[in-house]
Amino acid sequence: MVTGSEMRDLDQWTMQDFGMPGEMLMENAGRAAAGRMLTRLTLDERVIVLCGSGNNGGDGFVIARCLYEAGICPEVWLIPEENRLSGEAKFHYGLLLQCGIQVNSVQAGGKRCEDVIAAADVVIDAMLGTGVSGELREPYASLVAACNETAARVEAVDIPSGLPADEGVMWHTAVQADFTVVLAAYKESSFLPRTAPFYGEIEVVSIGLPPGTYDLLKYERRLWQRVDVQTTLPVRSAEDYKSTYGKGLIVGGSETMPGAPLLAGEAALKSGTGLLTLALPASFTSAAASRLPEAMLQPFSEGVRLSADVTKFDAAACGPGLGRDEAAAHLVQHLIYKTDGVLILDADALHILRPSELKSRRKPTVLTPHAGELAALTGLSVEEVLQAPFQTSFNFATAYGVYVVMKGAHTITSTPDGRQFVNPTGNAVLARGGTGDVLTGMVLAFTMSHTTLDAAVANAVYLHGAAADALAVTVPPHAVKTSDVISALPLAFQSVESTD
């Protein structure tokens, strides 16, 4: 996953350091995109290709030529004047003309391109690419509007025109694509709440970048996929015993929210915790014992500090249903300074937390905020966090040496050393109270069973979403309870353990 400038760097390194001509790289990109589009095209469809003056337009020229070779005769439109073309785009424009393919000019007058778009079956958007900034000028503004008004299927090349590649960039309008064939690597905006819907269905294609090219980037930022889970999820052995999978502690619960720590505890047990202790207010430990007979209980009086020796636990989680009073603040501070294993802070613990306290930790810490909680921790507005979730979570994780799991439609996990993993699973099933508590329990369990904390956190997020995906196959999202997500965890595990 790259920013616009990082993608341009990758192209430059490929051409300069590896000696691949730019014309060849563009040929690779266009052919790869055309190959994906041809899986959906039929010979009787009327196809229009809209080409700008930059590399995106050059990709469009290659696509048009590839479609022509496959027996489809696309109508190609050049948006700028011909003399604006240069470099690789000019080369492939000339090659297109030599193949006998007519190119229509928006600048020449005559029939209107907007009318052709309205009558088309398929519109291929290769107008602007990743270099766009600011408000669209004419004729692009009108052509983007025409693309959004047509009944045709709209397929974008690399990125819908008008959309920024990066987060935190102001924009006004963009092509609403049905499909986007992304070249080489996901762009940041494909996972942002405001911009992701414009991509439609995303397909990433290789453009022939040499092996090791991505290693030249300063930071690792990528999708955490099923294969990553398969290669890092621990395999249980017949020789294992309960302590192999850790002694975990969950601290939470209050008079008004007694169920939250129970959800976290059940998820932790369902995710493989060896030994689990729930530290809960004494007033409802009997109810907890009947709900989770597998867990040990450490009751505490509301308004009193936790007296348990937290150093004996391999990992502890705090926050679900905890409340935000002074006693709760003492509990959070106690865990920050005394926990000798991984510490997961969620929900109310995040509201109580003073970020400066995190620097006293010598063992790993995992925070699981949503946008509002991360805004409170950073002093930013929620809107600012949503506009730049990658940079915001990166800054906090690296500044305080913690893992930040910023929950959302595409949850971003940021590590203390600056790597970021984006989660592809999950759906509207998770948009309900208590699902964050479930994730907290899963993270607790996984941190005690995995070889690396990176994999533990990213796998917990992935399988949490996969459980929701398994439910969505048979149950409408509005008819799901949070406890159903826990019940679906076996299906989530099966979905990654299967060889299909």
Side-chain angles (χ1 to χ4, degrees):
M1 189 177 308
V2 296
T3 64
S5 63
E6 286 173 337
M7 190 66 238
R8 288 187 285 276
D9 287 342
L10 291 173
D11 287 343
Q12 285 299 114
W13 290 331
T14 299
M15 290 184 287
Q16 294 177 2
D17 297 352
F18 293 94
M20 181 181 291
E23 293 83 1
M24 179 183 295
L25 193 60
M26 186 170 286
E27 179 76 13
N28 291 348
R31 281 198 172 275
R36 295 304 304 164
M37 293 174 179
L38 282 168
T39 64
R40 291 181 291 273
L41 288 169
T42 60
L43 295 177
D44 59 345
E45 286 182 307
R46 184 178 182 185
V47 180
I48 176 174
V49 184
L50 306 175
C51 299
S53 60
N55 287 343
N56 200 236
D59 296 332
F61 298 141
V62 177
I63 290 168
R65 179 161 47 83
C66 292
L67 298 185
Y68 186 78
E69 292 172 1
I72 295 171
C73 295
E75 185 169 333
V76 184
W77 280 79
L78 177 63
I79 314 303
E81 295 178 348
E82 185 177 329
N83 59 16
R84 294 278 307 279
L85 295 172
S86 62
E88 293 82 17
K90 182 177 182 179
F91 171 85
H92 282 288
Y93 174 73
L95 193 56
L96 187 70
L97 295 178
Q98 290 180 32
C99 292
I101 301 174
Q102 180 183 350
V103 177
N104 301 279
S105 173
V106 170
Q107 304 295 331
K111 66 177 178 178
R112 297 174 67 250
C113 185
E114 291 88 340
D115 296 334
V116 178
I117 292 172
D121 298 308
V122 180
V123 176
I124 296 176
D125 165 28
M127 290 188 284
L128 292 173
T130 61
V132 66
S133 62
E135 190 169 359
L136 293 179
R137 296 188 293 272
E138 293 295 349
Y140 291 100
S142 295
L143 295 175
V144 167
C147 288
N148 291 341
E149 293 167 3
T150 183
R153 184 171 76 250
V154 178
E155 305 223 2
V157 180
D158 200 29
I159 185 171
S161 288
L163 208 63
D166 305 343
E167 65 178 1
V169 178
M170 293 299 295
W171 57 284
H172 300 271
T173 187
V175 167
Q176 174 61 68
D178 297 297
F179 294 88
T180 299
V181 181
V182 173
L183 305 177
Y186 289 103
K187 310 306 181 288
E188 272 188 342
S189 61
S190 60
F191 292 105
L192 302 179
R194 305 284 195 272
T195 52
F198 285 86
Y199 281 83
E201 185 176 325
I202 295 176
E203 301 166 316
V204 181
V205 296
S206 170
I207 63 172
L209 298 180
T213 306
Y214 293 103
D215 296 338
L216 298 172
L217 295 174
K218 187 175 182 180
Y219 297 109
E220 180 182 2
R221 189 189 309 108
R222 68 180 181 88
L223 208 63
W224 189 265
Q225 302 182 82
R226 180 172 179 259
V227 65
D228 296 304
V229 185
Q230 289 175 322
T231 55
T232 58
L233 196 66
V235 177
R236 300 213 164 197
S237 166
E239 286 72 36
D240 293 340
Y241 54 99
K242 57 189 178 184
S243 294
T244 303
Y245 299 103
K247 299 177 182 179
L249 173 70
I250 294 176
V251 182
S254 59
E255 184 178 350
T256 57
M257 291 179 287
L262 301 183
L263 289 169
E266 189 173 357
L269 291 168
K270 206 89 169 182
S271 300
T273 297
L275 290 165
L276 180 66
T277 297
L278 296 180
L280 307 168
S283 57
F284 58 90
T285 51
S286 59
S290 62
R291 168 83 177 266
L292 291 178
E294 303 92 342
M296 293 173 284
L297 300 176
Q298 174 64 53
F300 61 84
S301 299
E302 294 189 63
V304 179
R305 294 187 188 206
L306 179 67
S307 60
D309 178 10
V310 297
T311 62
K312 66 182 182 180
F313 295 100
D314 299 305
C318 180
L322 184 66
R324 304 178 189 179
D325 57 16
E326 185 178 352
H330 287 313
L331 283 175
V332 173
Q333 289 176 341
H334 179 68
L335 288 165
I336 288 174
Y337 289 105
K338 298 296 184 180
T339 303
D340 199 31
V342 178
L343 177 61
I344 300 107
L345 298 177
D346 179 38
D348 287 333
L350 297 174
H351 288 271
I352 295 168
L353 175 67
R354 288 179 293 192
S356 59
E357 296 174 331
L358 295 170
K359 294 194 173 182
S360 67
R361 294 274 302 156
R362 294 295 176 263
K363 293 296 179 70
T365 307
V366 182
L367 310 184
T368 59
H370 53 58
E373 291 163 340
L374 188 55
L377 287 169
T378 58
L380 301 172
S381 68
V382 174
E383 182 62 28
E384 287 173 317
V385 171
L386 291 174
Q387 285 183 349
F390 286 98
Q391 194 63 52
T392 304
S393 54
F394 172 92
N395 288 345
F396 195 92
T398 55
Y400 292 99
V402 298
Y403 288 79
V404 174
V405 180
M406 184 183 160
K407 295 179 290 193
H410 297 290
T411 295
I412 302 168
T413 297
S414 301
T415 70
D417 59 1
R419 286 168 297 129
Q420 294 185 301
F421 308 114
V422 179
N423 184 55
T425 63
N427 55 68
V429 163
L430 298 177
R432 53 185 23 87
T435 57
D437 303 320
V438 174
L439 178 61
T440 295
M442 295 178 67
V443 173
L444 176 75
F446 281 21
T447 59
M448 297 186 293
S449 64
H450 282 60
T451 303
T452 69
L453 198 54
D454 291 1
V457 177
N459 283 353
V461 174
Y462 184 99
L463 289 165
H464 182 248
D469 290 340
L471 285 171
V473 172
T474 57
V475 184
H478 59 269
V480 176
K481 303 193 307 296
T482 297
S483 56
D484 295 334
V485 177
I486 301 173
S487 300
L489 286 176
L491 296 175
F493 280 95
Q494 290 173 2
S495 72
V496 297
E497 292 171 352
S498 169
T499 57
D500 295 340

